[in-house]
Amino acid sequence: MKKQQILLVDGMALLFRGFFATAFRGNFMKTSEGIPTNGVYQFLRYFLDAVQTFEPTHAICCWDMGSKTFRTEMYEGYKANRDEPPVELIPQFDLVKEVVESFDMPNIGLENYEADDCIGTLAREYAIDNEVTILTGDQDILQLVDNGIRVAIMKKGQGNYELYDHTNFYEKKGITPRQIIDLKGLMGDTSDNYPGVKGIGEKTALKLIQEHGTIDDILTNIDKLPKGVQTKINANLDMLHLSRTLAEIKCDVPISCTLDDATWKYDKTKITDKFQSLEFKNLEKLV
């Protein structure tokens, strides 16, 4: 039996990318009522290009549901470096979900969790019997690569993807997907604003993971490490363990979406009506 091809879309990654790709020129595209639509328009261009490229049988879009999650409860500084979204983007958060809905495609998100956690949970479940492609611009999701799960990282320009799967991952990264979590535990993540071990950067972290495998193995063999590295790790043990926990995508979130609800088929008139209400031109030919 031919396996189903499931596309899991990281909605915020596409929306933000689409917004900033056009906003830097001050091009917010507005409806005659003055509602900005540039992020939604670009989101659609990215999404429809991916549909053409990966030819899914099913598609689902996952979303963050606000900035407060179990991670911010664990560590107050988590993502605290993020600016407020630009005013032109705010009305587009709801608009983009309406557009996704017009394709009869599920919008999935859960309070207290990030989109990544929803993507991880669904990907693990679907990959048992199907092929999953995750569409994102976010390298964090690479830890999910596995048998039946590949990640398409969007590159600059449209229609450029770097594909990571279980056959090419080690060759590209020099570690396994699961080791990404330990790597980030050591080096931290500036974009998510957690420090890891102060003074250990990507190069040292990668070397430690390649030599020892996991944070647990590093700690078991800490006496064999260079004195400077020992000192840094010992001084930051709590933050090391916390950073590792923050880095790990949860794959047991209480959400579900049956594949019957996610079949990639849509009513063209419904979409055309939606595009017209947003005064989008040139997109009808893509659907």
Side-chain angles (χ1 to χ4, degrees):
M1 191 174 132
K2 193 166 179 284
K3 291 192 169 184
Q4 312 271 30
Q5 298 292 328
I6 296 146
L7 183 66
L8 293 178
V9 179
D10 181 350
M12 286 301 184
L14 269 68
L15 181 65
F16 271 82
R17 190 185 189 88
F19 178 84
F20 288 110
T22 47
F24 76 95
R25 293 193 298 267
N27 170 21
F28 294 114
M29 269 178 81
K30 291 184 174 161
T31 65
S32 44
E33 287 166 7
I35 299 161
T37 56
N38 64 312
V40 179
Y41 185 85
Q42 276 301 120
F43 170 98
L44 276 165
R45 291 192 57 189
Y46 294 147
F47 169 63
L48 292 169
D49 181 89
V51 165
Q52 244 179 341
T53 306
F54 302 116
E55 300 182 334
T57 54
H58 299 75
I60 295 163
C61 199
C62 292
W63 299 96
D64 295 323
M65 303 295 281
S67 56
K68 292 276 172 270
T69 66
F70 75 93
R71 290 184 182 87
T72 49
E73 281 168 32
M74 291 170 73
Y75 179 57
E76 218 177 312
Y78 184 74
K79 291 192 176 178
N81 55 339
R82 304 277 173 106
D83 294 331
E84 287 294 306
V87 290
E88 295 87 356
L89 180 54
I90 292 166
Q92 300 190 56
F93 290 136
D94 287 336
L95 266 188
V96 73
K97 288 181 186 164
E98 288 173 22
V99 168
V100 167
E101 230 161 71
S102 70
F103 281 93
D104 294 322
M105 177 175 160
N107 283 309
I108 299 283
L110 188 63
E111 294 282 334
N112 208 31
Y113 295 97
E114 293 180 44
D116 289 6
D117 302 312
C118 296
I119 289 170
T121 301
L122 294 174
R124 287 262 186 276
E125 186 192 320
Y126 297 149
I128 297 167
D129 298 312
N130 310 284
E131 301 285 344
V132 176
T133 302
I134 299 169
L135 177 67
T136 184
D138 181 359
Q139 300 267 339
D140 290 356
I141 285 186
L142 290 178
Q143 63 182 264
L144 297 173
V145 169
D146 206 342
N147 278 331
I149 302 174
R150 61 179 181 171
V151 173
I153 297 278
M154 298 165 69
K155 308 296 279 181
K156 209 171 165 54
Q158 198 179 306
N160 296 326
Y161 307 97
E162 181 149 20
L163 273 176
Y164 292 87
D165 60 31
H166 72 288
T167 61
N168 70 13
F169 193 91
Y170 189 83
E171 190 190 317
K172 288 187 178 212
K173 288 290 183 187
I175 53 176
T176 66
R178 292 290 301 164
Q179 286 177 313
I180 293 259
I181 303 163
D182 286 35
L183 181 74
K184 290 178 62 132
L186 284 164
M187 64 182 262
D189 185 324
T190 47
S191 73
D192 285 343
N193 202 42
Y194 57 87
V197 174
K198 254 193 195 65
I200 290 188
E202 184 171 8
K203 218 166 135 190
T204 307
L206 191 59
K207 191 165 179 282
L208 287 168
I209 295 295
Q210 284 171 334
E211 284 171 9
H212 299 277
T214 65
I215 283 171
D216 294 340
D217 293 329
I218 290 167
L219 296 177
T220 305
N221 297 296
I222 195 156
D223 300 347
K224 300 186 184 124
L225 303 179
K227 280 281 179 283
V229 174
Q230 285 187 41
T231 308
K232 285 169 187 165
I233 288 175
N234 282 324
N236 293 277
L237 268 180
D238 288 351
M239 191 44 88
L240 170 63
H241 289 302
L242 178 60
S243 296
R244 190 191 182 286
T245 305
L246 293 171
E248 184 167 12
I249 292 173
K250 275 184 87 63
C251 294
D252 55 359
V253 172
I255 51 159
S256 65
C257 177
T258 68
L259 284 183
D260 288 350
D261 291 336
T263 307
W264 177 245
K265 63 174 193 310
Y266 51 83
D267 174 349
K268 196 159 178 178
T269 52
K270 206 161 144 187
I271 291 163
T272 309
D273 289 349
K274 191 72 198 163
F275 286 0
Q276 280 171 354
S277 75
L278 293 170
E279 297 166 30
F280 285 163
K281 298 178 179 63
N282 310 323
L283 275 182
E284 273 98 337
K285 62 179 185 287
L286 297 178
V287 294

